[in-house]
Amino acid sequence: MTSSDSENSTRQRLLDAAGECFAQHGFHGAPVREISQRADANVAAINYHFGDKYKLYESVLLEAINYAEDRFSALRQQADTLDVAQRLHGFISSLLIGGLDPARPEWHCKLLCMEMADPGPALETLFTKSLSGRFGMLRQIVSELLDPPADDTEITLHACSVLGQTLFYLRSRQMLPKMLPGFKLDMNGLETLTAHIARFSLAAIEERNRRISRPDG
Amino acid sequence: MTSSDSENSTRQRLLDAAGECFAQHGFHGAPVREISQRADANVAAINYHFGDKYKLYESVLLEAINYAEDRFSALRQQADTLDVAQRLHGFISSLLIGGLDPARPEWHCKLLCMEMADPGPALETLFTKSLSGRFGMLRQIVSELLDPPADDTEITLHACSVLGQTLFYLRSRQMLPKMLPGFKLDMNGLETLTAHIARFSLAAIEERNRRISRPDG
Amino acid sequence: MTSSDSENSTRQRLLDAAGECFAQHGFHGAPVREISQRADANVAAINYHFGDKYKLYESVLLEAINYAEDRFSALRQQADTLDVAQRLHGFISSLLIGGLDPARPEWHCKLLCMEMADPGPALETLFTKSLSGRFGMLRQIVSELLDPPADDTEITLHACSVLGQTLFYLRSRQMLPKMLPGFKLDMNGLETLTAHIARFSLAAIEERNRRISRPDG
Amino acid sequence: MTSSDSENSTRQRLLDAAGECFAQHGFHGAPVREISQRADANVAAINYHFGDKYKLYESVLLEAINYAEDRFSALRQQADTLDVAQRLHGFISSLLIGGLDPARPEWHCKLLCMEMADPGPALETLFTKSLSGRFGMLRQIVSELLDPPADDTEITLHACSVLGQTLFYLRSRQMLPKMLPGFKLDMNGLETLTAHIARFSLAAIEERNRRISRPDG
DNA sequence: TATGAATGAGCCTTCATTCAT
DNA sequence: AATGAATGAAGGCTCATTCAT
């Protein structure tokens, strides 16, 4: 067992500490000194392992985005065995539970939301590496649900409706206690949300399908 | 007419410059010197007019949130003359067009989204002064749409579904060119979005109403 | 009497302190903290007044080179009233006494010599502003002394011989106590040196003139 | 042959790389990491081989000064077979060509000049090991040339005149392209310089000898 | 013999703020 | 009402060095 173990190496401790600090104070508001102290490491260790503060920030973002990627990989592999409604449910669930899973460090979700609200150079990587693929997956699901078939714009609008409902909880998480007092975001609550979003969206789409296929205008 | 009435007073120029800077670099990333220079004012002017940097930030946020409040006031006054579907449409429109209106300074929306992604003490004021009222308004509309009547939780879930779809475009604005290449956010595009969200949501609710009122499933 | 008095202003104190420090430890070896402390000023004052450390360094060099420029100006104005041998003596004296004058801060000479031994961007300014003019002046004197007239190269070589003898004492000043133990560089000593260099050079040139003008080869 | 014999040992590569770096940026301005990288060695190798950064610097200076010492040794051994004018020429040539020889790494000369402009503890070694002997040699030559004999001071002054003319080119090398545009410092140019300095100095001394030996002025 | 990881001290610079005017 | 000068604290980063291997 060498010191490069990914478990508790200086590098890994820095990543975790940085995640917390960046999520708490933002990139500019988080001093590298505080990060290194929380990681029980030297200030110079950051530059040694990551080059500079921003490269550390990028690495932290990657760490956060990768965490939930497993769920989507699994979903992709099960695509053939699940019907389209199940895949919609799976997508929403992956995003929502993958994002708010109480087992996941809180800062993952917040940091990603902050980066999306104020995108920097790092977002490019996140996008090409993960976000764009996820959105394509959702568009595929939605396009299968829309019958009679929809044009590109309509698919996009429906995909955004599903995505918007889901991301709302991730992006509003900081405000949820204030907005929805009494609502608990435990596993149970998350499944309630998932079920609602799926049912709400499927209902809207079914209604749309019925309307379009009706003979009159 | 004193100089404090002037629309172009130092104080106002500072507010505008600060809005741009804060939106561009975040609170910690925007140096007061850059703000004062962009406002063509002295560094000390900020502390003179606002006390300190954070109070300036709060003032800027208030400026941004107040800008769109007129639309909601109008909506409230028209409540009696509009049917509930129109009020839903009006709410979505107020939020979406009020947020992305090309005539509005770009930083308004971005800054508010950033503050919501990473809430500070200033959010409290925003919430009690504006956000909480808006959400209550939406809940009222949704509760009227839900028939048979829904319990508190279901109202909230439906309100969140509407709100989530709408906020999605505000909060993703920075990423929209990348996510939805070719989509134009001009007045026309905004109305398309508004119409879709309203139709999608109404369809989902109607379907729900039908399902619930059915003697059994 | 305002605070911008050139006498004892923060800016001037910084220049003097920086001169000493840079001369003592070199540009890279002199911490700005030490400079500001010696100047009884804040660290930030350096960046406020000069922009950055290197611009301070350039200003210090200019201060040093300007100090002696008066002597050369005077020499230029007297050019018509002095014969050429006197002007040669004047030139050597201006350089030597202007450089080692005990009334002059010691660091002036050392710092200029250091910059010449390891030229940076700042030397360009020194050269165009002062050095090149001085060398032209010396070439003019030497060319008048050379009779029969000399070509460009020969003038240059003779000018370098005069200049080299003179600069030797400036550039070796740090080593003089070791090389020439017992030699005092007071006003008296400097005039002895000046006289020697002038006599030595004139002798060499006269001998050269005689040799060239001799009919045989 | 052990690895420490090798001309391309880590130790030697460090010396060469350090010479370049120190000459380029000065002692304080040259980071050990850059040196070790240029030498294709580990950072710790410097401390391992030399103890610390300054000891490396001293070693580099010694390397530079030793390079030219062979010429002077040869000159000393030939002392008996050459007349005094030839020995003067030889001395100047050793210094000038030994210093500016295009075959020699450029940094040798520059680094020595820098150390002389800003002497540190290392200069002591250089002085006792080399410089003082060279100066003594020149004084001996000059004293033989001065006839009628001169006192100590006069010998010193004349030696400094010869030395100053010669060192001028070494110490001004960085500025020569700017001062003497078009002058080429190839082997041919160096011999031109050597010949001029020797002739100039001999002429001055002959004239002096004539003047002194004249019954009166 | 030689190294990659890690360190504490120090670097220059910039920060938001204050003060005398 | 407003400002230019100045400040102490803190910023991110780099330094020469050390240590376990």
Side-chain angles (χ1 to χ4, degrees):
Chain A
M1 162 163 159
T2 74
S3 67
S4 65
D5 279 354
S6 71
E7 199 60 25
N8 207 17
S9 62
T10 298
R11 202 191 125 94
Q12 187 59 41
R13 294 201 319 275
L14 283 172
L15 278 174
D16 293 338
E20 289 180 23
C21 289
F22 286 143
Q24 199 163 2
H25 308 109
F27 174 74
H28 287 109
V32 290
R33 266 194 176 76
E34 187 182 327
I35 293 173
S36 59
Q37 279 173 7
R38 267 209 237 183
D40 203 28
N42 193 279
V43 212
I46 288 178
N47 296 50
Y48 178 77
H49 284 285
F50 298 93
D52 61 19
K53 189 190 182 187
Y54 192 74
K55 296 214 189 78
L56 166 61
Y57 177 71
E58 287 182 311
S59 302
V60 166
L61 280 182
L62 275 179
E63 173 107 338
I65 199 87
N66 281 336
Y67 187 100
E69 201 59 14
D70 290 347
R71 294 178 186 270
F72 287 95
S73 308
L75 204 55
R76 274 191 198 89
Q77 292 173 346
Q78 300 169 348
D80 299 335
T81 72
L82 299 174
D83 69 38
V84 63
Q86 287 174 315
R87 281 155 57 209
L88 180 68
H89 188 99
F91 182 89
I92 297 166
S93 165
S94 296
L95 207 51
L96 207 47
I97 300 187
L100 298 183
D101 181 357
R104 193 178 182 187
E106 285 214 21
W107 58 263
H108 280 205
C109 176
K110 184 176 181 193
L111 201 55
L112 290 170
C113 288
M114 288 167 65
E115 176 63 21
M116 287 170 168
D118 182 23
L123 187 61
E124 184 79 19
T125 312
L126 298 187
F127 193 80
T128 61
K129 196 155 180 175
S130 173
L131 304 183
S132 120
R134 293 181 188 179
F135 190 58
M137 189 176 172
L138 176 58
R139 279 179 51 94
Q140 171 63 26
I141 293 170
V142 166
S143 77
E144 292 180 33
L145 284 168
L146 292 172
D147 176 42
D151 65 8
D152 212 60
T153 298
E154 202 181 356
I155 295 175
T156 296
L157 288 175
H158 281 80
C160 287
S161 279
V162 174
L163 191 55
Q165 290 177 79
T166 315
L167 287 182
F168 172 79
Y169 298 99
L170 304 182
R171 288 177 164 169
S172 304
R173 192 196 196 181
Q174 306 301 319
M175 306 173 59
L176 286 186
K178 206 180 285 278
M179 281 187 68
L180 281 49
F183 196 95
K184 286 182 190 162
L185 278 180
D186 53 11
M187 236 13 173
N188 221 319
L190 292 179
E191 275 163 16
T192 303
L193 294 181
T194 303
H196 165 77
I197 297 171
R199 190 185 317 121
F200 187 96
S201 303
L202 285 175
I205 291 174
E206 279 165 26
E207 177 75 12
R208 173 265 180 196
N209 288 347
R210 211 174 303 138
R211 177 170 50 84
I212 301 286
S213 48
R214 222 174 296 150
D216 75 298
Chain B
M1 157 167 159
T2 74
S3 68
S4 65
D5 293 330
S6 165
E7 288 212 337
N8 212 13
S9 63
T10 297
R11 202 191 124 92
Q12 186 60 42
R13 291 200 321 275
L14 282 172
L15 278 174
D16 294 336
E20 289 181 24
C21 288
F22 287 142
Q24 202 164 357
H25 307 110
F27 174 73
H28 287 110
V32 290
R33 182 162 281 123
E34 186 183 329
I35 294 172
S36 60
Q37 278 174 1
R38 266 210 236 183
D40 205 29
N42 190 278
V43 212
I46 288 178
N47 293 26
Y48 179 78
H49 283 285
F50 297 92
D52 63 18
K53 189 191 183 186
Y54 193 75
K55 297 215 189 77
L56 166 62
Y57 177 72
E58 287 181 312
S59 303
V60 167
L61 279 183
L62 276 180
E63 172 111 337
I65 198 85
N66 281 336
Y67 188 101
E69 201 58 15
D70 291 348
R71 293 178 186 270
F72 288 95
S73 307
L75 204 56
R76 270 189 201 92
Q77 292 173 347
Q78 299 169 347
D80 300 334
T81 72
L82 300 174
D83 68 39
V84 65
Q86 286 174 316
R87 281 156 57 208
L88 179 69
H89 187 100
F91 182 89
I92 297 167
S93 165
S94 296
L95 206 51
L96 206 48
I97 300 185
L100 297 182
D101 181 357
R104 196 178 180 186
E106 286 214 21
W107 58 263
H108 280 203
C109 176
K110 186 177 181 193
L111 199 56
L112 290 170
C113 287
M114 288 169 64
E115 176 63 19
M116 286 170 169
D118 181 24
L123 187 62
E124 184 79 21
T125 311
L126 296 187
F127 194 80
T128 59
K129 195 155 181 175
S130 172
L131 305 183
S132 123
R134 293 180 188 179
F135 191 57
M137 189 175 170
L138 175 58
R139 281 178 51 93
Q140 172 63 27
I141 293 170
V142 166
S143 76
E144 293 179 32
L145 285 167
L146 291 172
D147 177 42
D151 66 8
D152 211 59
T153 298
E154 199 179 0
I155 294 174
T156 297
L157 289 176
H158 281 80
C160 287
S161 279
V162 174
L163 190 55
Q165 290 178 79
T166 314
L167 287 182
F168 171 79
Y169 297 99
L170 304 181
R171 288 177 164 169
S172 304
R173 192 194 196 183
Q174 307 299 321
M175 305 173 59
L176 286 186
K178 205 181 285 280
M179 282 188 66
L180 281 50
F183 197 94
K184 285 180 190 160
L185 278 180
D186 53 10
M187 240 6 177
N188 220 319
L190 291 180
E191 276 164 15
T192 302
L193 294 180
T194 303
H196 166 77
I197 296 172
R199 191 185 315 120
F200 187 96
S201 303
L202 286 174
I205 291 174
E206 281 166 25
E207 178 76 11
R208 173 266 179 196
N209 288 345
R210 211 175 301 140
R211 177 170 49 85
I212 301 286
S213 48
R214 225 175 293 152
D216 173 303
Chain C
M1 157 165 162
T2 75
S3 67
S4 65
D5 279 353
S6 71
E7 199 58 26
N8 207 17
S9 63
T10 297
R11 202 189 124 94
Q12 187 59 40
R13 293 200 320 273
L14 283 172
L15 277 173
D16 293 337
E20 289 181 23
C21 288
F22 286 142
Q24 200 163 0
H25 306 110
F27 174 73
H28 287 111
V32 290
R33 264 196 179 74
E34 187 183 327
I35 294 173
S36 59
Q37 279 172 7
R38 266 209 237 184
D40 202 29
N42 191 279
V43 213
I46 288 178
N47 295 49
Y48 178 78
H49 284 286
F50 298 94
D52 62 18
K53 189 189 182 188
Y54 191 73
K55 295 214 191 78
L56 166 62
Y57 177 71
E58 287 182 311
S59 302
V60 167
L61 280 182
L62 275 180
E63 173 110 337
I65 199 86
N66 279 336
Y67 188 100
E69 199 60 11
D70 289 348
R71 293 178 187 271
F72 287 96
S73 306
L75 205 56
R76 273 191 198 88
Q77 290 172 347
Q78 298 169 348
D80 299 335
T81 71
L82 300 173
D83 69 40
V84 64
Q86 286 174 315
R87 281 156 55 211
L88 179 68
H89 187 99
F91 182 89
I92 297 166
S93 163
S94 295
L95 207 51
L96 205 49
I97 299 185
L100 297 183
D101 180 357
R104 195 178 181 188
E106 286 214 19
W107 58 265
H108 280 204
C109 175
K110 185 177 181 192
L111 200 55
L112 290 170
C113 288
M114 288 169 65
E115 176 63 20
M116 286 170 171
D118 182 22
L123 188 62
E124 182 79 18
T125 311
L126 297 187
F127 194 80
T128 59
K129 196 155 181 175
S130 173
L131 305 183
S132 121
R134 293 182 187 178
F135 190 57
M137 190 176 170
L138 175 58
R139 279 181 50 94
Q140 171 63 25
I141 293 171
V142 166
S143 78
E144 292 180 34
L145 284 167
L146 291 172
D147 177 45
D151 66 9
D152 212 59
T153 298
E154 199 179 357
I155 295 175
T156 295
L157 289 175
H158 281 80
C160 286
S161 280
V162 174
L163 190 56
Q165 290 177 80
T166 316
L167 286 182
F168 171 79
Y169 297 99
L170 304 182
R171 288 177 164 168
S172 305
R173 193 196 195 183
Q174 306 300 319
M175 307 173 56
L176 286 185
K178 202 179 290 276
M179 282 188 65
L180 281 51
F183 197 96
K184 286 181 190 162
L185 277 181
D186 54 10
M187 239 10 176
N188 222 319
L190 291 179
E191 275 164 16
T192 303
L193 294 180
T194 303
H196 165 76
I197 296 172
R199 192 184 316 119
F200 186 96
S201 302
L202 284 174
I205 290 173
E206 279 166 26
E207 177 74 12
R208 173 267 180 195
N209 288 347
R210 212 176 299 139
R211 175 168 52 83
I212 300 286
S213 50
R214 223 176 293 149
D216 75 300
Chain D
M1 157 167 159
T2 74
S3 70
S4 66
D5 294 328
S6 163
E7 288 212 336
N8 213 14
S9 63
T10 297
R11 201 190 125 92
Q12 187 58 40
R13 291 201 320 275
L14 282 172
L15 279 173
D16 293 338
E20 288 182 23
C21 288
F22 286 143
Q24 202 164 358
H25 307 110
F27 174 73
H28 287 110
V32 290
R33 181 161 282 122
E34 186 183 328
I35 294 172
S36 60
Q37 279 174 2
R38 266 210 237 183
D40 205 27
N42 190 280
V43 212
I46 288 179
N47 293 29
Y48 179 76
H49 283 286
F50 297 93
D52 64 16
K53 188 188 181 187
Y54 193 74
K55 297 214 189 76
L56 166 61
Y57 177 72
E58 288 180 312
S59 303
V60 167
L61 279 182
L62 276 180
E63 172 111 337
I65 198 86
N66 280 337
Y67 188 101
E69 200 59 13
D70 290 346
R71 293 178 186 270
F72 288 95
S73 307
L75 203 57
R76 274 191 199 87
Q77 291 171 346
Q78 299 168 348
D80 299 336
T81 72
L82 299 173
D83 69 36
V84 64
Q86 286 173 316
R87 282 157 55 211
L88 179 68
H89 187 100
F91 181 89
I92 297 167
S93 166
S94 296
L95 207 50
L96 206 46
I97 299 186
L100 297 183
D101 180 357
R104 195 177 181 189
E106 285 215 20
W107 58 263
H108 280 204
C109 176
K110 186 177 180 192
L111 200 55
L112 291 169
C113 287
M114 286 167 66
E115 177 63 21
M116 286 170 167
D118 182 23
L123 187 62
E124 183 79 19
T125 312
L126 296 187
F127 193 80
T128 59
K129 194 156 181 173
S130 174
L131 305 183
S132 123
R134 292 181 190 181
F135 191 57
M137 188 177 172
L138 175 58
R139 280 179 51 94
Q140 172 61 29
I141 293 170
V142 166
S143 77
E144 291 180 33
L145 283 168
L146 291 172
D147 177 44
D151 65 9
D152 211 58
T153 297
E154 200 179 357
I155 293 174
T156 295
L157 288 177
H158 280 79
C160 287
S161 279
V162 173
L163 190 56
Q165 289 178 80
T166 314
L167 287 182
F168 171 78
Y169 297 100
L170 304 181
R171 289 177 164 171
S172 306
R173 192 196 197 184
Q174 307 298 321
M175 305 174 57
L176 285 186
K178 205 181 284 278
M179 281 189 66
L180 282 49
F183 196 95
K184 288 182 189 161
L185 279 180
D186 54 11
M187 238 12 178
N188 218 319
L190 291 180
E191 275 164 15
T192 303
L193 293 181
T194 304
H196 165 77
I197 297 171
R199 191 185 316 122
F200 187 96
S201 301
L202 286 174
I205 292 174
E206 280 167 25
E207 178 76 13
R208 173 267 180 194
N209 288 345
R210 212 175 301 137
R211 177 169 52 85
I212 300 288
S213 49
R214 226 175 292 152
D216 175 304

PDB file of all heavy atoms in Angstrom, chain B residues 188-202:
ATOM      1  N   ASN B 188     -40.290  36.535 -29.327  1.00  0.00           N
ATOM      2  CA  ASN B 188     -41.040  35.454 -29.943  1.00  0.00           C
ATOM      3  C   ASN B 188     -40.756  34.113 -29.270  1.00  0.00           C
ATOM      4  O   ASN B 188     -41.665  33.372 -28.881  1.00  0.00           O
ATOM      5  CB  ASN B 188     -40.655  35.372 -31.423  1.00  0.00           C
ATOM      6  CG  ASN B 188     -41.866  35.104 -32.270  1.00  0.00           C
ATOM      7  OD1 ASN B 188     -42.709  34.290 -31.890  1.00  0.00           O
ATOM      8  ND2 ASN B 188     -41.972  35.791 -33.402  1.00  0.00           N
ATOM      9  N   GLY B 189     -39.483  33.836 -29.094  1.00  0.00           N
ATOM     10  CA  GLY B 189     -39.079  32.585 -28.454  1.00  0.00           C
ATOM     11  C   GLY B 189     -39.630  32.485 -27.044  1.00  0.00           C
ATOM     12  O   GLY B 189     -40.099  31.425 -26.611  1.00  0.00           O
ATOM     13  N   LEU B 190     -39.597  33.582 -26.314  1.00  0.00           N
ATOM     14  CA  LEU B 190     -40.089  33.556 -24.941  1.00  0.00           C
ATOM     15  C   LEU B 190     -41.581  33.224 -24.898  1.00  0.00           C
ATOM     16  O   LEU B 190     -42.044  32.514 -24.002  1.00  0.00           O
ATOM     17  CB  LEU B 190     -39.832  34.918 -24.272  1.00  0.00           C
ATOM     18  CG  LEU B 190     -38.356  35.240 -24.016  1.00  0.00           C
ATOM     19  CD1 LEU B 190     -38.191  36.598 -23.362  1.00  0.00           C
ATOM     20  CD2 LEU B 190     -37.725  34.158 -23.146  1.00  0.00           C
ATOM     21  N   GLU B 191     -42.306  33.746 -25.869  1.00  0.00           N
ATOM     22  CA  GLU B 191     -43.731  33.441 -25.866  1.00  0.00           C
ATOM     23  C   GLU B 191     -44.003  31.993 -26.241  1.00  0.00           C
ATOM     24  O   GLU B 191     -44.945  31.374 -25.732  1.00  0.00           O
ATOM     25  CB  GLU B 191     -44.472  34.414 -26.791  1.00  0.00           C
ATOM     26  CG  GLU B 191     -44.808  35.719 -26.067  1.00  0.00           C
ATOM     27  CD  GLU B 191     -45.188  36.835 -27.021  1.00  0.00           C
ATOM     28  OE1 GLU B 191     -45.463  36.524 -28.197  1.00  0.00           O
ATOM     29  OE2 GLU B 191     -45.183  38.004 -26.582  1.00  0.00           O
ATOM     30  N   THR B 192     -43.186  31.469 -27.120  1.00  0.00           N
ATOM     31  CA  THR B 192     -43.293  30.041 -27.420  1.00  0.00           C
ATOM     32  C   THR B 192     -43.084  29.208 -26.156  1.00  0.00           C
ATOM     33  O   THR B 192     -43.850  28.278 -25.855  1.00  0.00           O
ATOM     34  CB  THR B 192     -42.227  29.645 -28.457  1.00  0.00           C
ATOM     35  OG1 THR B 192     -42.403  30.443 -29.627  1.00  0.00           O
ATOM     36  CG2 THR B 192     -42.348  28.164 -28.808  1.00  0.00           C
ATOM     37  N   LEU B 193     -42.043  29.551 -25.418  1.00  0.00           N
ATOM     38  CA  LEU B 193     -41.763  28.817 -24.182  1.00  0.00           C
ATOM     39  C   LEU B 193     -42.935  28.931 -23.211  1.00  0.00           C
ATOM     40  O   LEU B 193     -43.396  27.943 -22.637  1.00  0.00           O
ATOM     41  CB  LEU B 193     -40.494  29.354 -23.524  1.00  0.00           C
ATOM     42  CG  LEU B 193     -39.187  29.151 -24.285  1.00  0.00           C
ATOM     43  CD1 LEU B 193     -38.020  29.731 -23.507  1.00  0.00           C
ATOM     44  CD2 LEU B 193     -38.973  27.671 -24.553  1.00  0.00           C
ATOM     45  N   THR B 194     -43.401  30.157 -23.027  1.00  0.00           N
ATOM     46  CA  THR B 194     -44.519  30.377 -22.109  1.00  0.00           C
ATOM     47  C   THR B 194     -45.710  29.516 -22.496  1.00  0.00           C
ATOM     48  O   THR B 194     -46.306  28.814 -21.649  1.00  0.00           O
ATOM     49  CB  THR B 194     -44.931  31.864 -22.132  1.00  0.00           C
ATOM     50  OG1 THR B 194     -43.804  32.665 -21.803  1.00  0.00           O
ATOM     51  CG2 THR B 194     -46.055  32.116 -21.135  1.00  0.00           C
ATOM     52  N   ALA B 195     -46.047  29.559 -23.760  1.00  0.00           N
ATOM     53  CA  ALA B 195     -47.204  28.794 -24.224  1.00  0.00           C
ATOM     54  C   ALA B 195     -47.002  27.302 -23.967  1.00  0.00           C
ATOM     55  O   ALA B 195     -47.922  26.610 -23.489  1.00  0.00           O
ATOM     56  CB  ALA B 195     -47.434  29.057 -25.713  1.00  0.00           C
ATOM     57  N   HIS B 196     -45.801  26.801 -24.258  1.00  0.00           N
ATOM     58  CA  HIS B 196     -45.555  25.373 -24.038  1.00  0.00           C
ATOM     59  C   HIS B 196     -45.715  24.991 -22.571  1.00  0.00           C
ATOM     60  O   HIS B 196     -46.378  24.004 -22.233  1.00  0.00           O
ATOM     61  CB  HIS B 196     -44.156  24.983 -24.508  1.00  0.00           C
ATOM     62  CG  HIS B 196     -43.732  23.643 -23.997  1.00  0.00           C
ATOM     63  ND1 HIS B 196     -44.203  22.462 -24.537  1.00  0.00           N
ATOM     64  CD2 HIS B 196     -42.939  23.280 -22.953  1.00  0.00           C
ATOM     65  CE1 HIS B 196     -43.690  21.439 -23.860  1.00  0.00           C
ATOM     66  NE2 HIS B 196     -42.919  21.916 -22.892  1.00  0.00           N
ATOM     67  N   ILE B 197     -45.092  25.762 -21.707  1.00  0.00           N
ATOM     68  CA  ILE B 197     -45.145  25.426 -20.287  1.00  0.00           C
ATOM     69  C   ILE B 197     -46.592  25.445 -19.785  1.00  0.00           C
ATOM     70  O   ILE B 197     -47.035  24.546 -19.058  1.00  0.00           O
ATOM     71  CB  ILE B 197     -44.286  26.411 -19.457  1.00  0.00           C
ATOM     72  CG1 ILE B 197     -42.822  26.278 -19.859  1.00  0.00           C
ATOM     73  CG2 ILE B 197     -44.454  26.153 -17.968  1.00  0.00           C
ATOM     74  CD1 ILE B 197     -41.924  27.331 -19.260  1.00  0.00           C
ATOM     75  N   ALA B 198     -47.341  26.460 -20.206  1.00  0.00           N
ATOM     76  CA  ALA B 198     -48.733  26.550 -19.768  1.00  0.00           C
ATOM     77  C   ALA B 198     -49.520  25.348 -20.281  1.00  0.00           C
ATOM     78  O   ALA B 198     -50.239  24.674 -19.513  1.00  0.00           O
ATOM     79  CB  ALA B 198     -49.355  27.853 -20.265  1.00  0.00           C
ATOM     80  N   ARG B 199     -49.371  25.055 -21.562  1.00  0.00           N
ATOM     81  CA  ARG B 199     -50.134  23.958 -22.130  1.00  0.00           C
ATOM     82  C   ARG B 199     -49.747  22.626 -21.489  1.00  0.00           C
ATOM     83  O   ARG B 199     -50.593  21.826 -21.101  1.00  0.00           O
ATOM     84  CB  ARG B 199     -49.919  23.897 -23.644  1.00  0.00           C
ATOM     85  CG  ARG B 199     -50.899  22.949 -24.325  1.00  0.00           C
ATOM     86  CD  ARG B 199     -50.607  22.800 -25.818  1.00  0.00           C
ATOM     87  NE  ARG B 199     -50.355  24.058 -26.484  1.00  0.00           N
ATOM     88  CZ  ARG B 199     -49.202  24.344 -27.109  1.00  0.00           C
ATOM     89  NH1 ARG B 199     -48.230  23.455 -27.119  1.00  0.00           N
ATOM     90  NH2 ARG B 199     -49.047  25.502 -27.697  1.00  0.00           N
ATOM     91  N   PHE B 200     -48.439  22.416 -21.355  1.00  0.00           N
ATOM     92  CA  PHE B 200     -47.920  21.187 -20.752  1.00  0.00           C
ATOM     93  C   PHE B 200     -48.484  21.003 -19.343  1.00  0.00           C
ATOM     94  O   PHE B 200     -48.974  19.928 -18.980  1.00  0.00           O
ATOM     95  CB  PHE B 200     -46.389  21.265 -20.717  1.00  0.00           C
ATOM     96  CG  PHE B 200     -45.691  20.014 -20.284  1.00  0.00           C
ATOM     97  CD1 PHE B 200     -45.204  19.108 -21.220  1.00  0.00           C
ATOM     98  CD2 PHE B 200     -45.472  19.752 -18.928  1.00  0.00           C
ATOM     99  CE1 PHE B 200     -44.528  17.956 -20.817  1.00  0.00           C
ATOM    100  CE2 PHE B 200     -44.810  18.609 -18.528  1.00  0.00           C
ATOM    101  CZ  PHE B 200     -44.321  17.704 -19.472  1.00  0.00           C
ATOM    102  N   SER B 201     -48.440  22.085 -18.575  1.00  0.00           N
ATOM    103  CA  SER B 201     -48.879  21.981 -17.190  1.00  0.00           C
ATOM    104  C   SER B 201     -50.386  21.780 -17.086  1.00  0.00           C
ATOM    105  O   SER B 201     -50.883  20.958 -16.299  1.00  0.00           O
ATOM    106  CB  SER B 201     -48.469  23.248 -16.423  1.00  0.00           C
ATOM    107  OG  SER B 201     -47.071  23.431 -16.516  1.00  0.00           O
ATOM    108  N   LEU B 202     -51.122  22.558 -17.870  1.00  0.00           N
ATOM    109  CA  LEU B 202     -52.568  22.392 -17.844  1.00  0.00           C
ATOM    110  C   LEU B 202     -52.959  20.983 -18.256  1.00  0.00           C
ATOM    111  O   LEU B 202     -53.866  20.370 -17.664  1.00  0.00           O
ATOM    112  CB  LEU B 202     -53.229  23.424 -18.767  1.00  0.00           C
ATOM    113  CG  LEU B 202     -53.241  24.860 -18.231  1.00  0.00           C
ATOM    114  CD1 LEU B 202     -53.793  25.836 -19.275  1.00  0.00           C
ATOM    115  CD2 LEU B 202     -54.065  24.937 -16.942  1.00  0.00           C
TER     116      LEU B 202
END
